[in-house]
């Protein structure tokens, strides 16, 4: 039996994630230590085994498995649009999962498993930058990076053929002769959106600015 056969949906997984965030681990509070699910709302990582355990607890006892491994429901989670992260090693200090979220732990070697099938090495590794405080002192800060796929961007622009997806107009040509368009993520990366073709549209500059700074959003 799998989550897919139980008709578990995206909202069910999100509900389990929110429960884990507030300390409701259910009966399965033994962490997997190296496999996590990313919350699309705040981009924090939570223990895969505990989240799936909560989902299994909603199933009838006659179909509930006694044991399972974290690979059992990976395909179902990907199909629902959830990003998974696997660490290569456990160093004994990580608090990710059921004890909170610390971005600095993403410095450990890990793989990001995107729903579209891509596997990215260290895709969520934060970048350390120096910032200047108001007192003139500098300090190091960890900043999350949004990894973008340039080939997806090119594919979206090629498919548009210069026509804006919003206003259906062509605006101007670049020196090389191609029409100018910009790629917009319908669900913003800063809000947990994925860098996949299904989340991209080609917009002219006016429509793109309207999407970011206008009174309402056509895409969300």
């Amino acid at each position: 039996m799998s989550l897919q056969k139980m008709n578990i949906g995206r909202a069910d997984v999100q509900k389990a994630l929110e429960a884990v965030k507030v300390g409701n681990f259910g009966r399965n509070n033994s962490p997997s230590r190296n496999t996590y699910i990313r919350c699309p709302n705040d981009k924090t990582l939570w223990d895969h085994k505990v989240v799936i355990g909560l989902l299994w607890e909603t199933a009838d006892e006659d179909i509930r498995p006694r044991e399972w491994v974290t690979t059992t429901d990976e395909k179902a989670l990907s199909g629902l649009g959830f990003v998974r992260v696997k660490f290569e090693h456990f160093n004994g200090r990580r608090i990710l999962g059921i004890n909170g979220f610390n971005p600095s732990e993403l410095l450990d070697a890990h793989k990001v498993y995107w729903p579209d099938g891509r596997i990215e090495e260290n895709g969520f590794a934060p970048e350390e930058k120096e910032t200047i405080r108001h007192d003139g002192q500098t300090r190091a800060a960890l900043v999350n990076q949004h990894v973008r796929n340039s080939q997806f961007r090119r594919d979206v622009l090629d498919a548009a053929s210069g026509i804006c997806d919003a206003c259906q107009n062509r605006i101007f040509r670049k020196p090389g002769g191609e029409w100018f368009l910009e790629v917009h993520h319908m669900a913003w990366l800063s809000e947990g959106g994925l860098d996949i073709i299904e989340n991209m549209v080609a917009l002219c500059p006016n429509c793109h600015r309207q999407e970011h700074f206008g009174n309402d959003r056509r895409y969300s």
Side-chain angles (χ1 to χ4, degrees):
M1 181 62 67
S2 68
L3 296 180
Q4 197 169 27
K5 292 180 180 178
M6 288 171 57
N7 293 320
I8 293 292
R10 184 181 178 88
D12 299 308
V13 179
Q14 187 63 48
K15 182 178 180 180
L17 280 169
E18 298 301 328
V20 172
K21 289 182 189 180
V22 298
N24 179 10
F25 308 141
R27 293 190 294 270
N28 184 47
N29 57 7
S30 175
S32 63
R33 294 177 178 266
N34 69 338
T35 307
Y36 300 88
I37 301 173
R38 187 179 75 155
C39 174
N41 295 335
D42 58 17
K43 293 176 289 193
T44 52
L45 301 181
W46 299 92
D47 191 273
H48 178 284
K49 188 175 179 181
V50 176
V51 172
I52 299 303
L54 277 177
L55 291 171
W56 276 118
E57 287 181 19
T58 65
D60 295 334
E61 288 201 19
D62 57 340
I63 65 171
R64 189 183 304 157
R66 293 182 179 179
E67 295 181 355
W68 79 95
V69 294
T70 53
T71 56
T72 301
D73 296 295
E74 287 181 348
K75 186 175 181 180
L77 285 172
S78 293
L80 294 173
F82 285 92
V83 177
R84 293 172 292 109
V85 176
K86 289 187 177 181
F87 287 84
E88 295 180 8
H89 303 288
F90 178 65
N91 59 19
R93 299 187 301 273
R94 191 177 302 126
I95 67 167
L96 287 172
I98 62 176
N99 297 313
F101 175 73
N102 183 352
S104 67
E105 293 176 311
L106 290 171
L107 292 171
D108 290 350
H110 63 275
K111 290 183 173 66
V112 179
Y113 292 77
W114 294 94
D116 62 8
R118 284 181 296 147
I119 301 176
E120 208 161 42
E121 297 283 345
N122 302 321
F124 287 147
E127 178 182 358
E128 187 171 291
K129 292 184 177 180
E130 281 194 345
T131 59
I132 301 177
R133 302 186 313 201
H134 68 277
D135 59 3
Q137 300 296 315
T138 61
R139 67 179 179 87
L142 291 172
V143 183
N144 283 336
Q145 296 176 314
H146 296 297
V147 181
R148 299 177 184 241
N149 188 304
S150 58
Q151 183 59 53
F152 289 171
R153 179 181 179 278
R154 289 192 293 270
D155 291 344
V156 170
L157 293 176
D158 288 345
S161 298
I163 299 175
C164 173
D165 284 324
C167 68
Q168 300 298 305
N169 292 319
R170 288 190 172 107
I171 305 303
F172 63 87
R173 292 183 185 273
K174 295 192 289 186
E178 66 272 24
W179 292 98
F180 182 83
L181 284 174
E182 299 172 346
V183 172
H184 171 70
H185 290 83
M186 294 181 284
W188 297 355
L189 298 181
S190 61
E191 297 177 350
L194 300 180
D195 191 42
I196 57 177
I197 289 178
E198 292 78 9
N199 190 39
M200 297 177 179
V201 289
L203 301 179
C204 69
N206 285 342
C207 288
H208 198 183
R209 294 305 94 188
Q210 167 68 28
E211 188 65 21
H212 280 274
F213 303 108
N215 291 333
D216 53 15
R217 290 165 60 173
R218 179 189 299 263
Y219 305 98
S220 61

